[in-house]
Amino acid sequence: MASVSACDEASPPSSTAAPPPPTTSSILFHAGNVVLLDIPRSLEEAQVPPGLPPSARIVSGAPPLKPFTTPEPRDGATADHWLRSSQSAGAHIADLMAAAAVQSALDQLHSRYAGLFCLPRLCNAPDGLIPQDFNDRKIDTGGTTSADTATSTATSAMDAIRTPPRAEYLHGSIRHLRQTFIDRAPQFRLMVFDPPWPNRSARRKKAGSYNTASNLSEIQKLLSSIPVASHLASDGLVAMWITNKSSVLDLVTSSKGLFASWGLELVTQWTWLKITSLGEPLFDIESTWRKPWETLLIAKRISAKAPETLKPRVILAVPDVHSRKPNLRRLFEEYLGQDYTALEVFARNLTSGWWSWGDQVLQFQAPEHWVDVEISTTIV
């Protein structure tokens, strides 16, 4: 495993101090519709059954100390033209509502909370990048290691994968494992999607970061092939991460969009506000070009009744390594109970008690991404 050191939100990485064992909850603050969540701890908690303390620490990226600068239009006319040409009226209103919600959540957090905005982390590099050797190994589209190309090293790596208790996974493409999913998967009370939406900035990153679709037509076809209607429980929920592009929102929520094709209707949305380790938005909330939040759309069957307490929510969390989302298991326990059946599609790690499906489901389950608790407390 690569060298790992402690990195905390208020000072440079230390060569002598190590983070405490993972006993603190991932939910650092919760009041009404505002939640402060620690992303690495949420992933650590997800490796064990609900209610049990995590047994290992995940290797993370250093938390950002300061907001990022964002290029802005030089004059108001340019910004207005961009908004008129690229956003529907509904999407523009959604942006305004999201901005108001996250500002209100920030105000509430800073007036009622005086603790850390993220827990101390274990880092193996200043930028939080992970070793590429495991990411670059190719797994065939059937979901198993190719007999023709696999090496003994790759086989050993697969054998060492950390598999949480009662975690089920389909490791491979949606297209090639669709029938396997239909044959084996139960009905789920929660289905979480983190689709590889087209993203030019992601494609500019070096190879090995993560794959994205080339266009919306491609990802729509892929998502439409997933048999949601036949595997969602009658009272089940679907949660989908989307980008801030109005075309993505329309593709999912319009009258002929994905939710409608699955027999679903939108219930509410949660907003993940990305903050620094000092509690500031990662980007200016008023920024035209780059928003400091991502949106989680939550839907139900058209004929079903939504949980009465399921309302809009703002999740504040300091980002971790690129594209790593908060684990949602604990946040949905409030609505679905502790042992609900769940599926995560396009997952990059496994969750105890859940099914995971996609060609990167083992991305962060390799041994180099984890340190056992009894070891992590003595790291120097």
Side-chain angles (χ1 to χ4, degrees), residues 26-29 35-39 42 45 117-118 315-318 326-328 330-331:
S26 61
I27 299 177
L28 306 179
F29 174 82
V35 176
L36 176 64
L37 182 74
D38 185 78
I39 292 177
S42 74
E45 290 173 343
F117 294 102
C118 68
I315 304 166
L316 301 100
V318 178
N327 187 280
L328 300 173
R330 283 199 61 183
L331 294 181

Side-chain angles (χ1 to χ4, degrees), residues 92-115:
H92 183 49
I93 293 172
D95 269 357
L96 294 175
M97 294 177 64
V102 299
Q103 185 60 62
S104 175
L106 272 172
D107 294 342
Q108 183 176 164
L109 180 69
H110 286 296
S111 66
R112 301 181 59 181
Y113 178 74

Side-chain angles (χ1 to χ4, degrees), residues 42-83:
S42 74
L43 294 165
E44 292 163 1
E45 290 173 343
Q47 297 298 297
V48 295
L52 295 181
S55 59
R57 303 295 312 277
I58 193 168
V59 178
S60 301
L65 289 170
K66 299 178 180 179
F68 298 151
T69 57
T70 308
E72 292 292 345
R74 294 184 178 182
D75 56 74
T78 304
D80 290 342
H81 173 74
W82 181 85
L83 288 172

Side-chain angles (χ1 to χ4, degrees), residues 112-126:
R112 301 181 59 181
Y113 178 74
L116 295 173
F117 294 102
C118 68
L119 298 174
R121 299 178 176 183
L122 292 180
C123 299
N124 68 344

Side-chain angles (χ1 to χ4, degrees), residues 7 14 37 84 88 92 100-101 106 148 176 198 218 238 260-261 274 286 331 340 347 356 373:
C7 60
S14 166
L37 182 74
R84 287 195 300 269
S88 65
H92 183 49
L106 272 172
D148 295 329
H176 285 83
E218 177 185 331
V238 170
S261 71
K274 302 175 184 181
E286 303 298 327
L331 294 181
Y340 60 91
S356 300
V373 167

